[in-house]
Amino acid sequence: MRCQLSYLLILSALCPAAIAEVYHVSPSGDDAGTGTAQTPWRTIQRAADALKPGDTALLAAGTYRESVMLQKGGTPPAPITLAAEPGARVVITGADPLAVGWSRVAGDDPVYEREWPHLFQIDHRNGRPVMTHPDDAEHALIGRAEQVIEHGRLLRQVLRRAQLAPGTFMADVETKKLYVWLRAGNDPAKTEVEASVRGTWIVGEPSASYVQLRGITFRYAANFAQRGGLTLSRDDKGAAPQNWLVEDCVFEKANASGASLGGRGHLFRRCVFQDNGQLGFGTSQCHDTRMEECGIYRNNTKGYSTGWEAGGLKVTMSRGFVFDHCRVVDNRGPGVWYDIGNERAEVANCYIADNDEGGIFYEISYGLHAHHNLIVNNANLGQDPGRAWGMGGITLSSSEDCIIEHNTLAGNRDGIAFREQDRNTPRIGQRDEVRIFNRNHVIRQNIIANSGAYNVALWFDMPFFDRRPGKGAVDPATLNIKFENNLLWPLGGRPNYLFGASWKAKSKACITPADCTMASSIADTSLIADPLFINPAAGDFHVRETSPAIPLKAGAGNNSPGKR
């Protein structure tokens, strides 16, 4: 009998899938049920609490109004899974309907009020509510967390009742009242009106590793900036979830960030982060993580400061964070922003276009490899060359050890920009900050064409950059920056190069690589010639068979992302 029991235990360890369970959840279910297809549970939280390694919860079509806390996960051979049933449209939302409790406010305007008890964060130091983040005048309204939705469209928030107008709302935390003026002046009790009352959709605690999410749409969240609707959280000792697999999910219309990611070893495949108030997603110490075939669209809808943190996404203090075959389009701010202490980043085979600021912005970080990307029409804010300095299709800002190769950059404000400031950064796993500036870069075999300002812009506004170094100065020739076999083609009447900040008397605009080398002491073997794009007006930046880019092996090539 003892031998038989030992055999069963060994078999269970080797074949966890053999004892895995499949549970069912439905908005019409009952948490007192058994979780079977015949008697499904009603909440995802009920399933999450029951799942063991190897188990799956299948979600029936419908809307789930809850915030799920995952406190346990699976194992490498036996993850836990939350997945939409095949073909089912599943939505997890932070919003609840507001169908009752309304009364019309006295006066001529169709303003309605109801009770509003919701506060989304309390300052633990003084017990008072936190109303905005960041706490400054610029974000006094933008930084609020409330959302009110009429027929699937967000109403605009105001701070005072006197500012109410059609399509607006006001949340008064002092009187605990919510005021709305719907677009057509309708009674909200007779209209589809929702408000976000939860700040998260799913929170993965540090103990919740090896989790899989599939086929779920996440929508609306009353979250503050730098807090994600999906949160993979870290504890005080630095522990965080590992090895999440997230496939075919949509993260949209959060008040701030669609996701906040920490931990290690995650894979997001065919996911979309769109129309979020601040960022598609943000990370902190999220290592060895990949985004594959993902889309990041139209984020920072609320207009958070792009000089602080806003746009498509922001990756910080992360090692080995990779984008492959992703699309990053039409974000209000940078498209792909790595900031502070990142290492071994890679952006490959991506289409990055029409972002308000830099396409790829690599800031005070190490070791970017950007290759085979199509990067077009970024950072065209209509400013003159001296205003939005250092905004390029690719911008290297006080960073080191980067390889930029086989990209096609066309129609950006600057093509490749080097932005230099007196910067320090922490390193991953270290407390002390170290000085960092642009050096040890290889820029080779790229097509850089039709930039609005400069194809290559060396925005060095630093007193220590000088060809005649004095005390504390650095000669640019010692930075080990290499330009090799790039193909440059300027707009008519524009120079190819800028060396130095344009507002400095010693800056110089240059036409040829030889001129730039003479000004900067940085060697350059690039060629100036028309790349002969097939049809750039239609978004086709492949090159013709007679293109001078072909013998140079320059550009993203005929297997590039294209317009798509």
Side-chain angles (χ1 to χ4, degrees):
M1 184 69 176
R2 182 178 298 173
C3 291
Q4 183 180 12
L5 179 61
S6 298
Y7 172 78
L8 291 174
L9 291 173
I10 293 170
L11 183 64
S12 297
L14 293 176
C15 305
I19 59 173
E21 300 284 352
V22 176
Y23 297 105
H24 294 263
V25 185
S26 170
S28 61
D30 186 340
D31 282 351
T34 60
T36 62
Q38 293 73 33
T39 59
W41 291 320
R42 184 179 64 83
T43 67
I44 300 169
Q45 187 65 61
R46 175 68 177 86
D49 292 341
L51 294 178
K52 306 181 301 299
D55 289 350
T56 296
L58 288 179
L59 312 180
T63 298
Y64 297 81
R65 301 183 186 276
E66 58 180 307
S67 178
V68 181
M69 183 73 68
L70 286 174
Q71 296 180 314
K72 57 183 180 179
T75 64
I80 65 169
T81 301
L82 299 174
E85 290 181 352
R89 184 173 181 271
V90 173
V91 177
I92 299 177
T93 177
D96 284 351
L98 302 180
V100 298
W102 293 102
S103 61
R104 181 163 175 162
V105 176
D108 295 333
D109 297 329
V111 175
Y112 291 81
E113 67 176 9
R114 78 183 303 276
E115 295 299 319
W116 182 254
H118 302 287
L119 295 172
F120 298 107
Q121 186 174 338
I122 301 295
D123 190 329
H124 67 276
R125 297 167 298 180
N126 54 28
R128 301 184 63 182
V130 175
M131 298 313 305
T132 184
H133 176 67
D135 185 14
D136 57 34
E138 180 180 0
H139 295 89
L141 174 59
I142 298 167
R144 294 283 290 255
E146 296 91 354
Q147 291 182 309
V148 178
I149 308 106
E150 177 190 4
H151 287 298
R153 293 175 61 193
L154 287 162
L155 299 182
R156 181 172 59 87
Q157 188 171 14
V158 298
L159 294 178
R160 296 187 297 277
R161 283 185 55 184
Q163 297 172 320
L164 285 166
T168 64
F169 77 95
M170 174 200 170
D172 190 333
V173 297
E174 299 296 332
T175 63
K176 298 183 179 180
K177 295 283 188 180
L178 178 67
Y179 298 90
V180 302
W181 184 342
L182 300 185
R183 292 180 178 87
N186 300 344
D187 182 347
K190 301 177 182 179
T191 307
E192 183 183 312
V193 175
E194 302 174 277
S196 291
V197 298
R198 290 172 294 277
T200 58
W201 304 308
I202 289 184
V203 176
E205 291 292 316
S207 54
S209 295
Y210 299 99
V211 174
Q212 299 185 357
L213 305 177
R214 289 196 177 92
I216 304 170
T217 293
F218 300 90
R219 181 179 298 149
Y220 304 130
N223 54 352
F224 287 102
Q226 300 184 310
R227 293 159 178 80
L230 169 68
T231 297
L232 304 186
S233 59
R234 306 180 64 85
D235 64 19
D236 294 339
K237 297 181 180 179
Q242 299 184 40
N243 296 95
W244 280 47
L245 172 62
V246 184
E247 294 183 310
D248 302 302
C249 290
V250 177
F251 304 86
E252 65 181 12
K253 299 183 180 179
N255 182 70
S257 181
S260 295
L261 307 178
R264 182 183 300 275
H266 310 307
L267 173 58
F268 286 74
R269 183 184 289 135
R270 299 182 303 276
C271 291
V272 173
F273 301 82
Q274 64 186 10
D275 301 310
N276 294 290
Q278 182 211 359
L279 290 168
F281 67 88
T283 84
S284 177
Q285 300 186 57
C286 187
H287 308 307
D288 301 320
T289 290
R290 296 180 63 87
M291 293 272 167
E292 295 182 354
E293 300 179 70
C294 292
I296 298 95
Y297 307 120
R298 302 178 303 277
N299 295 288
N300 192 21
T301 59
K302 294 190 73 178
Y304 284 86
S305 170
T306 59
W308 175 64
E309 180 174 301
L313 59 102
K314 195 173 190 182
V315 178
T316 62
M317 297 298 292
S318 298
R319 180 181 290 123
F321 201 103
V322 174
F323 294 89
D324 188 10
H325 285 92
C326 293
R327 292 171 56 85
V328 186
V329 179
D330 199 21
N331 295 282
R332 192 174 178 181
V336 177
W337 187 357
Y338 288 85
D339 183 24
I340 305 176
N342 297 287
E343 301 173 7
R344 290 195 291 105
E346 184 177 5
V347 183
N349 309 298
C350 293
Y351 176 64
I352 304 173
D354 301 311
N355 299 287
D356 282 1
E357 297 185 10
I360 300 174
F361 187 24
Y362 204 69
E363 186 175 12
I364 49 177
S365 293
Y366 302 85
L368 169 66
H369 187 196
H371 61 97
H372 296 93
N373 301 290
L374 175 59
I375 304 175
V376 298
N377 197 34
N378 296 283
N380 288 313
L381 303 179
Q383 288 140 327
D384 65 65
R387 292 288 299 277
W389 64 282
M391 287 189 186
I394 298 176
T395 299
L396 302 179
S397 179
S398 304
S399 293
E400 300 184 3
D401 303 307
C402 299
I403 299 175
I404 311 299
E405 60 182 350
H406 299 293
N407 302 284
T408 296
L409 302 105
N412 303 287
R413 206 193 90 82
D414 290 337
I416 296 179
F418 296 80
R419 177 171 174 160
E420 197 61 75
Q421 299 165 272
D422 195 359
R423 307 296 295 273
N424 295 321
T425 185
R427 297 299 299 261
I428 295 171
Q430 300 179 11
R431 290 187 177 182
D432 295 336
E433 295 190 352
V434 295
R435 193 178 191 185
I436 183 172
F437 50 89
N438 278 301
R439 60 182 174 184
N440 301 330
H441 300 317
V442 177
I443 316 298
R444 63 190 173 203
Q445 295 170 294
N446 303 282
I447 297 174
I448 313 171
N450 301 329
S451 301
Y454 307 97
N455 281 328
V456 176
L458 299 153
W459 292 93
F460 289 163
D461 184 25
M462 297 295 295
F464 59 80
F465 283 106
D466 197 313
R467 291 190 63 184
R468 300 177 303 279
K471 183 177 181 182
V474 176
D475 185 342
T478 67
L479 298 178
N480 193 31
I481 297 175
K482 299 177 181 178
F483 290 90
E484 301 172 349
N485 296 328
N486 301 290
L487 183 65
L488 308 181
W489 188 241
L491 287 174
R494 292 299 309 169
N496 273 305
Y497 297 88
L498 173 73
F499 175 68
S502 61
W503 50 84
K504 296 285 189 179
K506 63 182 179 181
S507 69
K508 186 174 180 59
C510 305
I511 302 295
T512 68
D515 290 341
C516 188
T517 296
M518 183 174 295
S520 66
S521 298
I522 297 174
D524 190 342
T525 59
S526 298
L527 173 69
I528 300 174
D530 187 340
L532 300 178
F533 295 129
I534 289 177
N535 191 353
D540 188 347
F541 290 89
H542 298 110
V543 298
R544 301 182 186 279
E545 292 181 356
T546 55
S547 170
I550 292 176
L552 289 177
K553 297 182 179 179
N558 286 332
N559 293 320
S560 71
K563 184 179 179 182
R564 290 194 301 173

